Amino acid sequence: MYEFLEHTADLGLRAFAPSLAELFSEMGHCLMAALLDNPSEIHARQRFRLEITGTNPEDLLFDFLREVLYRFESEKFLSNRFEVQLHPQGLTADIHGESFDPARHVLSHEVKAITYHELRVVQEGSQWLAEVIVDI
Amino acid sequence: MSKSAFTGPLERIDPCCVRIPSWYKQGMRVPGLLFVDENLLDQCRKDNAPDQVANVACLPGIQKASIAMPDIHWGYGFCIGGVAATDPEEGGVICPGGIGYDINCGVRLVRTNLTLDEVKPRMRELVKALFQQIPTGAGQSGSFVFTEKELKELMARGASYCVGRGWGVSHDLEVTESNGCIPDAEPDYVSDRAISRGKDQCGTLGSGNHFLEVQVVDHVFDPEVGKVFGLELGQIVVLIHSGSRGLGYQVCEDYLVLFRDMPKKYGFEIPDRQLASAPANSPEGRRYIGAMRAAANFGFCNRQLLMHQARQVFAKIFQRSWQDLGMSMLYDVAHNIAKLEEHSVDGVKKKLWVHRKGATRAFPAGHPEVPEVYRSVGQPVIIPGDMGRASWVLVGLPGSMERSFGTTCHGAGRAMSRTAAVARASGEKVVKELEARGVIAMSQSKRGLAEEQPQAYKNVDEVVEVVHGAGLSARVARLRPLGVIKG
């Protein structure tokens, strides 16, 4: 589950999930919903693999989201499925999606960057929670 | 993440300025100074932005005060409207968060000799043509595509590169901050990723609060300065607001990652990770400065190419050359940047890194960095407001050198979150409301238009009143929007 948060100038992304791996996937979807008015129009036609090293969950999330954003910025790649696996050295993600198609995809926000500001990845009871502010 | 109100101490110094004493927060090296009147003070308490002013006061080497302009609002790390000057000789840091992702986001104002009566009947046609010619919106490619080699030359030379290729004239450079080129830029310190994001984005407007507006001068407050600036009542002007696009965002991000460990390496503490900094004189700090300058030069080129395209559209619509239409540039000024400048601290002249995060340089008459043509009156300051009400032209005053490191405000400042704005009115409704006010707006994103609606902003007139009253910059002319294109 994901949602947008109130922020005066920019946009906050928040997600909840039962595991850290699913939390990363939800945050990936939330980022797509910030970029696109109709994220349900993204189809899995291609995929790429992302490897990120690190142990701090917040740094991992930051690096994960900025890689997903960079793929959109540089190759116009939109994603609709994030298969994330965490391991002691970091994470591996198989990311499925397709190239932006102006005939079908309606752009929403230009996300300039993922920020560290008030970045949070925490476990609350049986749930994981993540929050990040993106610069619009 | 909605913010609780700021409940800390705010001591009034004069009707336009309050102080956050340095005892408010552990680690503050200097007090905070906020240029706000009583009305704006209530607004700025609401989103806790003064706490961010206090955080910035903790940066190593900061001089005199951590300053905020009346368009202050909650940012990330620095508040928007923040000014901080650090002394590199005292371990002063360079802080990418104090510049922002959009390095050299700024504004450029272009005159015309057209009048409201001449333009009004053709307004829709003009706005449509601008919207078709000028790439707007998220991730849009432009018609100017550069090779890596060309892009590096562009970043080293700034706007003079564009003029050299025929996309402008030398007068454009004379009336651009730093003549459109920050010296000692280091394009080799700009990552491959940043270059790949920038190669087709020079000459594109982008999204968010960026815009190109056709406006009319609807009030001249200072006819003498107005004359020097070439502004008169009823005149049509073009205002461009954009920055360094994906290239600049990537430079900021790259160095925030590099700076993650700098506080530990150089032995200082910061209260917020988004304030990651490095000593300006350290190898890492110097590297960022070189890359930031290169991105800033890209920003000047972006606005140069946007203006070039706007001139072409006007020439086509009015069937006269842009020179014939009097489309000479008034000024171009950055509002997200850090520059090494000489300022006086307790009577001692020092070279300081002045960070302006949503704040505009406002040098007074006589300053050697003010273009010769304006030096007798002071530097033009361009303040974009919202797309329904007004924008402003101000002039720098000596008070800015005394009180705010030669700086004034940069805009209206947001008053409403993006989600709250969308809840208030849809994009379609905003277009209708704007039309009722006589403004034609075209945007790639209806949601973007709703987020940027006039009601989402503070009243820019109130913001300008404070900087005028505080003696930072003086009112010259008020500009009213007629046509808007946005991402």
Side-chain angles (χ1 to χ4, degrees), chain B residues 100-361:
Chain B
Y101 284 97
D102 197 358
I103 295 165
N104 190 8
C105 185
V107 277
R108 171 174 295 219
L109 188 61
V110 188
R111 293 177 281 241
T112 76
N113 55 22
L114 295 162
T115 62
L116 182 58
D117 290 342
E118 289 170 290
V119 170
K120 215 168 180 182
R122 315 210 40 194
M123 205 56 213
R124 191 165 294 277
E125 185 191 356
L126 178 63
V127 174
K128 200 174 165 193
L130 287 165
F131 191 59
Q132 280 167 349
Q133 169 75 38
I134 295 169
T136 57
Q140 282 291 310
S141 304
S143 39
F144 301 91
V145 180
F146 298 98
T147 64
E148 184 180 334
K149 187 166 169 268
E150 287 171 332
L151 206 55
K152 286 192 171 176
E153 197 188 333
L154 179 153
M155 287 190 278
R157 289 179 49 200
S160 76
Y161 173 86
C162 299
V163 170
R165 292 195 60 175
W167 304 318
V169 292
S170 59
H171 175 263
D172 301 340
L173 306 177
E174 288 162 25
V175 289
T176 303
E177 177 174 349
S178 300
N179 300 115
C181 180
I182 316 267
D184 303 319
E186 297 281 0
D188 287 340
Y189 295 163
V190 174
S191 70
D192 292 345
R193 283 195 161 196
I195 285 172
S196 103
R197 284 177 76 169
K199 63 184 185 299
D200 61 354
Q201 287 194 343
C202 204
T204 68
L205 200 54
S207 170
N209 61 0
H210 295 160
F211 64 77
L212 183 147
E213 284 185 5
V214 180
Q215 307 174 327
V216 60
V217 179
D218 86 339
H219 202 303
V220 177
F221 289 83
D222 187 332
E224 263 177 55
V225 178
K227 198 172 173 194
V228 177
F229 288 176
L231 291 176
E232 56 185 64
L233 197 66
Q235 180 185 4
I236 299 296
V237 295
V238 179
L239 180 59
I240 295 165
H241 178 202
S242 189
S244 52
R245 312 287 293 108
L247 184 137
Y249 316 158
Q250 188 69 43
V251 167
C252 180
E253 183 185 297
D254 290 340
Y255 284 88
L256 277 174
V257 172
L258 177 73
F259 283 11
R260 278 203 276 228
D261 304 323
M262 292 301 114
K264 198 174 160 197
K265 179 171 174 182
Y266 290 103
F268 60 90
E269 282 182 30
I270 46 167
D272 180 341
R273 291 183 74 181
Q274 195 66 28
L275 290 176
S277 309
N281 282 346
S282 66
E284 297 87 353
R286 278 199 289 266
R287 216 176 155 87
Y288 168 69
I289 288 165
M292 182 265 293
R293 285 170 161 161
N297 288 343
F298 182 95
F300 287 128
C301 291
N302 184 35
R303 291 194 292 276
Q304 182 71 31
L305 291 182
L306 287 166
M307 175 177 71
H308 173 69
Q309 294 172 92
R311 282 170 167 169
Q312 285 182 321
V313 170
F314 269 75
K316 200 172 153 198
I317 296 286
F318 294 99
Q319 292 292 304
R320 284 155 69 189
S321 71
W322 67 259
Q323 290 91 341
D324 241 22
L325 292 166
M327 292 186 77
S328 62
M329 223 175 107
L330 197 157
Y331 199 56
D332 178 302
V333 67
H335 53 225
N336 274 6
I337 203 160
K339 293 176 88 178
L340 193 59
E341 293 173 359
E342 193 176 85
H343 288 277
S344 180
V345 180
D346 301 328
V348 182
K349 286 206 159 119
K350 290 179 164 187
K351 285 256 187 195
L352 305 177
W353 276 104
V354 182
H355 297 68
R356 298 189 176 101
K357 171 79 187 83
T360 314
R361 199 185 74 170

Side-chain angles (χ1 to χ4, degrees), chain B residues 40 43 386 389-390 392 411-413 415 454 457-464 478:
Chain B
L40 291 170
Q43 291 188 41
D386 63 70
R389 284 175 286 199
W392 283 84
Y457 284 88
K458 295 179 198 173
N459 184 348
V460 69
D461 297 357
E462 286 178 28
V463 170
V464 164
R478 187 174 188 267

Side-chain angles (χ1 to χ4, degrees), chain A residues 34-74:
Chain A
L35 291 170
L36 223 59
D37 272 348
N38 54 348
S40 59
E41 275 300 314
I42 308 171
H43 301 296
R45 298 179 206 274
Q46 297 156 266
R47 62 164 206 169
F48 72 92
R49 175 163 283 199
L50 193 60
E51 303 268 4
I52 298 171
T53 52
T55 50
N56 177 332
E58 285 166 0
D59 286 343
L60 277 177
L61 178 67
F62 179 89
D63 289 342
F64 170 75
L65 291 175
R66 78 188 176 100
E67 287 297 327
V68 173
L69 180 62
Y70 176 70
R71 290 287 175 147
F72 173 67
E73 281 290 328
S74 58

Side-chain angles (χ1 to χ4, degrees), chain A residues 5-10 59 66-67 70 76 107 109-110 112-114 116-118 131 133 135, chain B residues 1 3 73-74 76-77 101 139 193 196 207 245 253 260 272-274 414 417-419 447 451:
Chain A
L5 296 170
E6 294 267 324
H7 185 271
T8 314
D10 298 302
D59 286 343
R66 78 188 176 100
E67 287 297 327
Y70 176 70
K76 307 271 186 287
L107 288 172
H109 296 95
E110 180 179 52
K112 291 179 187 167
I114 313 299
Y116 283 110
H117 183 64
E118 302 200 335
E131 286 178 352
I133 294 174
D135 188 20
Chain B
M1 246 176 271
K3 291 291 128 202
H73 61 81
W74 181 257
Y76 30 85
Y101 284 97
R193 283 195 161 196
S196 103
S207 170
R245 312 287 293 108
E253 183 185 297
R260 278 203 276 228
D272 180 341
R273 291 183 74 181
Q274 195 66 28
R414 284 191 77 91
S417 74
R418 290 177 182 277
T419 39
R447 187 187 165 92
E451 291 180 358

